[in-house]
């Protein structure tokens, strides 16, 4: 196998792969844009010999939105068409199968929350609510401490057979 090399490629020469089954919501793309703005673009896009994206569709979209003209790429040219398709799926799915070490994550988030630097914990991709839960600043309901019951409605509004249009 040939040595992998990072090559800068004009962003307009890269082709979005129509076979990519992964979808990226606007919220995720905004998070990625903020991450790139804060830390720089430190991850290359994986392309094939025709410059079609195999891995990095979200990064490509974020970089395009940020008006990058060139992006770092790594070209993978040794895979068959079937292998490319499987690789695109595997790259996304296998990453989903990872788990967090909650104790270590708690240590890292605590560190980031306490240091007096320009690193917003939100840049990690975790929401402030998730960080609060992980750091224990929000009390979690338990069997011993269940959440309070919902108040009973004063008057029943909906009856069996009613149709609501939203």
């Amino acid at each position: 196998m040939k040595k992998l090399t990072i090559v800068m490629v004009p962003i307009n020469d890269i082709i979005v792969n129509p076979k990519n089954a992964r979808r990226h919501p606007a919220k995720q793309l905004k998070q990625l844009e903020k991450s790139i703005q804060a830390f720089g673009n430190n991850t290359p896009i994986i392309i094939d010999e025709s410059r079609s994206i195999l891995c990095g569709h979200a990064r490509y979209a974020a970089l395009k939105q940020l008006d990058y003209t060139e992006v770092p790429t790594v070209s993978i040219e040794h895979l068959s068409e079937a292998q490319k398709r499987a690789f695109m799926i595997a790259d996304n799915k296998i990453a989903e199968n990872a788990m967090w070490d909650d104790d270590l994550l708690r240590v890292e988030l605590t560190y980031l929350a306490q240091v007096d630097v320009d690193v917003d914990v939100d840049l990690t991709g975790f929401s402030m609510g998730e960080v609060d839960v992980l750091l224990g600043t929000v009390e979690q309901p338990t069997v011993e401490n269940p959440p309070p019951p919902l108040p009973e409605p004063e008057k029943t509004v909906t009856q069996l057979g009613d149709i609501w249009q939203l």
Side-chain angles (χ1 to χ4, degrees), residues 28-53:
Q28 182 209 15
L29 294 176
K30 269 292 177 214
Q31 289 174 318
L32 191 50
E33 287 173 29
K34 287 180 181 179
S35 174
I36 291 168
Q37 288 172 321
F39 308 125
N41 182 34
N42 303 313
T43 306
I45 295 171
I46 310 299
I47 58 175
D48 68 9
E49 60 280 354
S50 67
R51 294 191 170 168
S52 180
I53 300 173

Side-chain angles (χ1 to χ4, degrees), residues 3-74:
K3 182 179 173 184
L4 298 178
T5 307
I6 295 177
V7 176
M8 296 302 287
V9 172
I11 198 165
N12 291 330
D13 289 355
I14 294 177
I15 301 163
V16 173
N17 195 320
K19 296 176 184 93
N20 180 38
R22 191 76 163 173
R23 297 293 170 248
H24 302 283
K27 179 181 176 182
Q28 182 209 15
L29 294 176
K30 269 292 177 214
Q31 289 174 318
L32 191 50
E33 287 173 29
K34 287 180 181 179
S35 174
I36 291 168
Q37 288 172 321
F39 308 125
N41 182 34
N42 303 313
T43 306
I45 295 171
I46 310 299
I47 58 175
D48 68 9
E49 60 280 354
S50 67
R51 294 191 170 168
S52 180
I53 300 173
L54 297 177
C55 304
H57 287 84
R59 180 163 301 277
Y60 168 84
L63 292 168
K64 193 93 165 148
Q65 188 65 34
L66 292 170
D67 295 324
Y68 272 64
T69 57
E70 279 191 327
V71 295
T73 65
V74 171

Side-chain angles (χ1 to χ4, degrees), residues 85-97:
R85 289 174 157 190
F87 178 60
M88 285 182 6
I89 294 169
D91 181 67
N92 286 296
K93 180 57 182 161
I94 292 171
E96 286 179 5
N97 295 339

Side-chain angles (χ1 to χ4, degrees), residues 107-141:
V107 168
E108 292 301 305
L109 291 173
T110 299
Y111 171 80
L112 290 174
Q114 292 175 346
V115 292
D116 189 25
V117 293
D118 224 9
V119 176
D120 183 358
V121 175
D122 203 36
L123 290 172
T124 64
F126 286 94
S127 70
M128 285 311 295
E130 290 172 311
V131 171
D132 288 343
V133 168
L134 283 163
L135 298 183
T137 55
V138 173
E139 188 177 327
Q140 290 296 303

